[in-house]
Amino acid sequence: MAEPRRNIASVDPVWDQILTEAQKAVRDEPLMGGFVHACILHHKSIEKALSYRIAAKLASNEMSMMVVREMVQEAYASDPSLIKAARADLVAIYERDPACHRLLQPILYFKGYQAVQAYRVGHHLWMKGQYDLAYFVQMRVSEIFGVDIHPAAKIGKGIMIDHAHSVVIGETAVVGDNVSMLHSVTLGGTGKEEQDRHPKIGDGVLIGAGAKVLGNITVGHCSRIAAGSVVLEAVPPCKTVAGIPARVVGEAGCDQPSILMDHIIGPQGD
Ligand SMILES: CC(C)(COP(=O)(O)OP(=O)(O)OC[C@H]1O[C@@H](n2cnc3c(N)ncnc32)[C@H](O)[C@@H]1OP(=O)(O)O)[C@@H](O)C(=O)NCCC(=O)NCCS
């Protein structure tokens, strides 16, 4: 005789929440039914849904959706840390972006999230030596989302790139965990250095819209870079820098500015 069914806790509460949100979205707006089914409800897991979503965005006359989807699925199957990072990014956006009310939104609509997940696949290909495929992914992400991240750049987990348009991250850049940045951020070279020539951004850093961080300089953990700054020198941890060229204008004001998204520069930087 079959055992009575026990009330077992969900093994994937993030995916369960996404499914619940997707069902509600279809109930509320039947016109979105086909789209939401294709992107979410048709799939058995977050990795399957993401593979579909990335493929739908990156496919072109030059590479079919089927081929891109297979490439993404293979990457997810061979490196589970990609999905771990995709989940951390999703939760980061949900927690930090006041315009994000559902886990569903970044997967369906936010190009910062979609661009970072596609970059992660490109970086995986790069690390395996599949350079041309990696460049192809970089090109399509740049064409589709206006976000240009070199596949060799190293980017941690829990990343939010809000609005995302015109973000450029160079080949030897390193971005730590739990970093938040806004549109038009450049992590670039000065043009005067060769080889290792891009910034190294610590954990928990908040980089405001339009900030340019140039050269092989370190931005310390949990610092804030004000919108529109041009950062040419190393930034110590837990400070706020602003201006062109950027200077320290105060403390970061909290332990984790990238998570609190506190943009206020007060007299003590709080
Ligand atoms: C302008 C640039 C070429 C440097 O020129 P340089 O003549 O070698 O300048 P230096 O680094 O010697 O700095 C000279 C002064 O200009 C300032 N300076 C340098 N670059 C600056 C910039 N972009 N904006 C404002 N001031 C800048 C420096 O702080 C320094 O000021 P100081 O003398 O008061 O200390 C370089 O900093 C730059 O902006 N390159 C463009 C990089 C770029 O677009 N990268 C994106 C790649 S994706």
Side-chain angles (χ1 to χ4, degrees):
M1 202 169 88
E3 287 223 347
R5 191 176 161 76
R6 293 195 189 116
N7 192 10
I8 299 169
S10 166
V11 291
D12 193 346
V14 168
W15 179 239
D16 286 350
Q17 184 176 329
I18 293 166
L19 288 175
T20 304
E21 291 170 355
Q23 283 153 356
K24 181 173 182 326
V26 175
R27 275 198 309 276
D28 291 351
E29 184 49 89
L31 284 178
M32 293 297 280
F35 173 67
V36 176
H37 267 277
C39 295
I40 305 289
L41 295 170
H42 184 65
H43 305 284
K44 289 198 164 57
S45 64
I46 191 167
E47 45 268 56
K48 292 268 162 49
L50 274 176
S51 310
Y52 175 88
R53 195 76 195 106
I54 294 171
K57 299 304 286 188
L58 265 53
S60 70
N61 288 339
E62 293 161 342
M63 196 177 286
S64 75
M65 190 171 158
M66 215 170 71
V67 174
V68 180
R69 195 170 169 185
E70 207 169 296
M71 178 182 83
V72 179
Q73 280 175 342
E74 271 178 31
Y76 285 164
S78 76
D79 185 357
S81 76
L82 296 176
I83 280 295
K84 213 171 153 188
R87 284 166 180 276
D89 298 340
L90 191 60
V91 173
I93 296 170
Y94 184 61
E95 286 177 348
R96 294 176 212 164
D97 181 353
C100 182
H101 307 291
R102 295 168 293 165
L103 288 171
L104 185 69
Q105 284 171 262
I107 299 177
L108 292 185
Y109 309 120
F110 289 6
K111 68 179 180 178
Y113 181 74
Q114 295 167 351
V116 169
Q117 302 328 308
Y119 146 80
R120 292 194 186 288
V121 172
H123 180 66
H124 169 83
L125 296 166
W126 183 270
M127 297 309 283
K128 280 176 63 190
Q130 292 178 275
Y131 301 119
D132 283 311
L133 261 187
Y135 281 128
F136 185 87
V137 171
Q138 180 192 8
M139 175 189 77
R140 289 298 292 153
V141 169
S142 175
E143 287 171 352
I144 297 299
F145 302 117
V147 172
D148 197 349
I149 308 178
H150 193 288
K154 296 185 176 70
I155 301 185
K157 310 182 289 297
I159 302 299
M160 176 175 79
I161 305 187
D162 200 8
H163 307 297
H165 209 80
S166 285
V167 163
V168 174
I169 301 181
E171 182 179 11
T172 58
V174 177
V175 176
D177 291 333
N178 290 321
V179 168
S180 296
M181 66 180 85
L182 287 102
H183 51 285
S184 296
V185 163
T186 299
L187 307 181
T190 58
K192 299 189 297 181
E193 294 170 297
E194 295 190 0
Q195 311 293 333
D196 192 359
R197 61 199 182 281
H198 296 113
K200 313 293 180 262
I201 309 295
D203 297 336
V205 171
L206 168 61
I207 310 179
K212 313 294 167 204
V213 188
L214 303 178
N216 185 3
I217 56 175
T218 300
V219 176
H221 296 313
C222 299
S223 281
R224 295 188 303 180
I225 299 172
S229 305
V230 176
V231 184
L232 300 167
E233 289 175 8
V235 177
C238 303
K239 299 290 181 197
T240 298
V241 297
I244 303 177
R247 303 277 181 244
V248 174
V249 295
E251 302 300 316
C254 62
D255 287 346
Q256 302 193 66
S258 65
I259 291 175
L260 293 185
M261 293 298 288
D262 178 358
H263 300 269
I264 298 165
I265 300 177
Q268 279 87 42
D270 57 8

